[in-house]
Amino acid sequence: MRIAAWNLERPRTNGHLKNAARLARIGHVDADIWFLTETHAGIVPTGYHALATRPMAGYHAPGENFSTLVSRWPFVRIIETWNPEFSVCAEIRTPGASVLAYATLITYANDRGPDSASPRWAEHRKYIAAQRQDWLRLARDFPDLPLLIGGDFNQSRDGSGWYEDKRAVAELGDALREAGLRYLTEQDFRLTHGLSRASIDHLCASHTLVPRVRGIGVWEGRIDGRRLSDHNGVYVDIDI
């Protein structure tokens, strides 16, 4: 099974050439489950199933949303999350086993909050605390189902300090461990894969799946001279 995460930097409905290139890259990666963020209803590969978050009123243009879970296989059931504008979750029945998949976006460092007064990283940490409750609930309510989490975490988490807050990094790591989850994508891909920038899109899985990881790959958001996103994409192969 290949899982992948990529923030698409808010595709536009009329961005036909760029959207076609995005879809071509998605097709080339050929993941079975995608965790897409800052995406659009038009960015779903043919033959896949999609579950999207609710658009945010006053922010999103028609067709836009923050997170979309895209699967080669049907959704068995949809599971409620802490905020339907940022996170979606579903059970997916793969040919090997059923899994839970949770697509999400954790807000950026300079989100000032609803009253425009929050200091840097404060709202980010609030989102971590809220999603921690989701992950703990999923681990409690579905103990027999492995959990996959992916999306835009807005943390580089590679030890470089490129885009991260030490307190937020620790809080997110603790939240994942509490729920029996492990990061799969904390390495510095600039060193290991020659990328030009750090990655803040990540993939996580239940600790039981970690020994089954068979490979990790990444790609730049700029492809053949065309900027498709300001984020790198990442995929992980898991033997199921």
Side-chain angles (χ1 to χ4, degrees), residues 1 3 100 146-150 153 176-177 179-185 202-211 213 236 238:
M1 175 175 65
I3 61 175
L100 292 179
L147 176 58
L148 305 169
I149 299 177
F153 283 39
L176 289 163
R177 282 189 291 273
L181 295 152
R182 299 293 184 270
Y183 261 100
L184 305 178
T185 53
H202 290 288
L203 294 163
C204 310
S206 294
H207 68 90
T208 54
L209 293 179
V210 174
V213 171
V236 172
I238 302 174

Side-chain angles (χ1 to χ4, degrees), residues 141-197:
D141 293 350
F142 304 95
D144 298 326
L145 293 181
L147 176 58
L148 305 169
I149 299 177
D152 178 1
F153 283 39
N154 271 304
Q155 292 185 6
S156 49
R157 297 196 65 87
D158 57 10
S160 68
W162 185 78
Y163 184 62
E164 58 190 39
D165 169 73
K166 288 184 178 180
R167 177 179 168 188
V169 166
E171 289 175 356
L172 182 51
D174 290 344
L176 289 163
R177 282 189 291 273
E178 283 183 74
L181 295 152
R182 299 293 184 270
Y183 261 100
L184 305 178
T185 53
E186 284 187 303
Q187 62 185 280
D188 189 339
F189 291 111
R190 292 170 295 179
L191 298 177
T192 61
H193 290 71
L195 296 187
S196 63
R197 58 184 293 152

Side-chain angles (χ1 to χ4, degrees), residues 8-141:
L8 294 175
E9 198 184 6
R10 302 189 68 180
R12 298 180 180 180
T13 301
N14 61 356
H16 304 298
L17 292 177
K18 189 176 283 191
N19 289 346
R22 288 175 171 125
L23 281 167
R25 170 55 61 173
I26 287 171
H28 177 76
V29 174
D30 195 29
D32 300 297
I33 298 175
W34 281 93
F35 303 87
L36 299 177
T37 50
E38 287 200 288
T39 185
H40 191 281
I43 311 295
V44 177
T46 302
Y48 280 66
H49 307 270
L51 176 63
T53 52
R54 184 179 70 203
M56 177 181 282
Y59 180 82
H60 284 127
E64 282 189 303
N65 65 289
F66 279 128
S67 302
T68 299
L69 181 61
V70 179
S71 171
R72 191 184 301 275
W73 305 296
F75 301 121
V76 176
R77 54 181 159 176
I78 298 170
I79 300 161
E80 184 179 353
T81 69
W82 73 288
N83 187 322
E85 292 178 346
F86 287 91
S87 306
V88 290
C89 182
E91 179 183 349
I92 299 171
R93 184 170 294 133
T94 79
S98 289
V99 299
L100 292 179
Y102 185 104
T104 192
L105 185 149
I106 299 174
T107 195
Y108 62 107
N110 290 322
D111 185 343
R112 301 301 304 278
D115 57 1
S116 300
S118 294
R120 183 173 167 85
W121 294 108
E123 293 299 312
H124 177 87
R125 293 196 297 269
K126 289 179 184 177
Y127 279 53
I128 293 171
Q131 295 189 51
R132 170 182 172 273
Q133 296 303 317
D134 264 2
W135 304 336
L136 290 172
R137 172 176 53 84
L138 292 170
R140 182 192 67 232
D141 293 350

